[in-house]
Amino acid sequence: MRSAINAGAALFLCALLVAGPGFAGDRLQWTGAVTEVEGSAGGGLVPWALIGGLETDAEVGATGFATYDSTGDFSLRSGGASIDVDDRVEVSFARQRFDAGSVVPGLTLGQDIVGLKVRLIGDAVFAPDQWLPQISVGAQGKRTLDFDQIPRAVGAAHGEDVDLYLAATKLYFAALAGRNVILDATLRRTRANQFGLLGFGGDGGGYRYVPEASAGIFLTDPLLVGAEYRAKPDNLNAFHEDGAEDIFIAWGPWKNVSLTAAWTDLGRIAGKTAQRGFYVSLWVGI
C-alpha cells in the first residue's frame, strides 16, 4: 500500500503536468459536491459521481477538506486534498485518525487512503434534458495503521486493500416544490471493517457488494439539506457492524467554500451500540 500512496503522489504531479496552464475554477457552485470522509467528492459518507473541484473540461481544479465526527464514545478526524483534471479525473488523498480510548485507554486507530475516480459518461448538471445520470467509477486504496496492534487481534485478515465503487448522480431542476433535487446511488465492493480502520476481511466473511445512497434538496442556491445511507460489511465475529447514515445541511457562503454539519448514526462500533453524534466539515475548492 505504500507503493499505492507513492503512486498517488505521482498521479498528483502527472495531473498538473498533463493539464497545462489552465488552472482555474469556472464551474458553478456545488458542481464539485463536498468531500466525504475518505477524500472523494460526494456527501459526508458517500462518494458521488461528481468530480471534485470547480474546473471545466479544459482546466485543473483542487480541493481540500477537514472533518470532525464525534459520537460521544469515539471521534474521527479526517483531512485531505484532491487534484481534479478536466472535470473527468479525480486523484485524492485522505488521512483518518480515530480516537478509540473508550475501548482501550490512549488507543488511536487510523488509515491512509489514496483515491482515483474517472467520469465515464453523462453529466449530472449540464444535461437536464437527458435521463442519463453522470456515472463514474472509483477506487480507494486503503492502508490501516498499526494493523498488528488491534485489528489483527480482533480477527481482521488484512491491513490494506482497495475498495471499488460505481456511482450515478443526477441533478433534477425544479423537481420538488420548484426546488432543485440531487440524487446519488453508489455500489461498492469492499471488505473494509469500520471503513478500514479495523482492517479488511476477517473470520466472519470477505468481499461484499454494498449499496450507498444520498438525496438532497436545495432550499436556496447556497443551502443544501439531505440525507445519506451507507451499508457496510459485517466481517468480524468479535465486533458486529451496522450501516451508517446521516442527515446533513451544507452551506456555501462563497463559491469556493462550504461548511457541512450533520447528525450521524454509525451504528455499533467495537462492541458499543448506538454510536450517534455530530459531524462538521470544511471544504475549499478551486
Side-chain angles (χ1 to χ4, degrees), residues 12-283:
F12 269 70
L13 180 59
C14 289
L16 290 172
L17 294 176
V18 169
F23 193 100
D26 292 334
R27 273 161 52 196
L28 298 175
Q29 185 175 17
W30 298 116
T31 53
V34 292
T35 303
E36 55 107 16
V37 292
E38 293 152 315
S40 300
L45 292 175
V46 178
W48 298 355
L50 300 178
I51 301 299
L54 296 170
E55 78 289 344
T56 67
D57 59 3
E59 298 173 337
V60 173
T63 71
F65 83 101
T67 292
Y68 179 77
D69 192 353
S70 175
T71 66
D73 290 318
F74 304 98
S75 63
L76 173 68
R77 292 170 286 119
S78 182
S82 74
I83 293 290
D84 315 287
V85 182
D86 297 345
D87 193 21
R88 176 69 59 178
V89 177
E90 173 188 289
V91 183
S92 61
F93 175 79
R95 171 161 289 180
Q96 297 181 342
R97 295 296 181 265
F98 186 75
D99 180 2
S102 62
V103 178
V104 178
L107 175 64
T108 299
L109 302 173
Q111 66 174 331
D112 292 336
I113 305 166
V114 173
L116 174 65
K117 184 194 299 183
V118 179
R119 177 164 63 94
L120 300 178
I121 55 175
D123 193 304
V125 179
F126 296 109
D129 56 340
Q130 298 181 13
W131 66 269
L132 184 71
Q134 182 166 320
I135 298 175
S136 297
V137 63
Q140 295 174 337
K142 301 180 176 182
R143 181 174 67 90
T144 304
L145 303 183
D146 300 320
F147 172 71
D148 291 326
Q149 182 180 8
I150 294 295
R152 186 190 294 277
V154 299
H158 305 279
E160 54 188 56
D161 203 20
V162 178
D163 282 6
L164 302 176
Y165 65 88
L166 185 70
T169 306
K170 185 71 174 176
L171 178 68
Y172 297 92
F173 291 95
L176 185 63
R179 303 186 188 280
N180 300 338
V181 172
I182 190 164
L183 300 176
D184 174 86
T186 297
L187 182 66
R188 182 187 297 259
R189 178 182 181 267
T190 182
R191 56 179 176 177
N193 308 316
Q194 296 296 352
F195 305 113
L197 292 164
L198 284 177
F200 305 89
D203 46 13
Y207 286 114
R208 289 182 173 86
Y209 290 89
V210 294
E212 306 174 7
S214 303
I217 180 171
F218 288 90
L219 299 182
T220 63
D221 287 345
L223 194 63
L224 173 66
V225 297
E228 299 180 287
Y229 174 76
R230 176 169 172 171
K232 296 185 289 180
D234 187 15
N235 294 327
L236 299 178
N237 289 327
F239 293 135
H240 290 291
E241 191 168 351
D242 302 312
E245 56 194 33
D246 69 32
I247 299 173
F248 67 85
I249 180 167
W251 174 52
W254 304 284
K255 176 180 177 179
N256 301 90
V257 177
S258 69
L259 298 167
T260 302
W263 172 87
T264 59
D265 184 348
L266 302 181
R268 289 174 290 184
I269 299 178
K272 294 184 177 292
T273 61
Q275 292 304 301
R276 303 184 179 100
F278 69 91
Y279 162 109
V280 291
S281 184
L282 170 67
W283 175 93

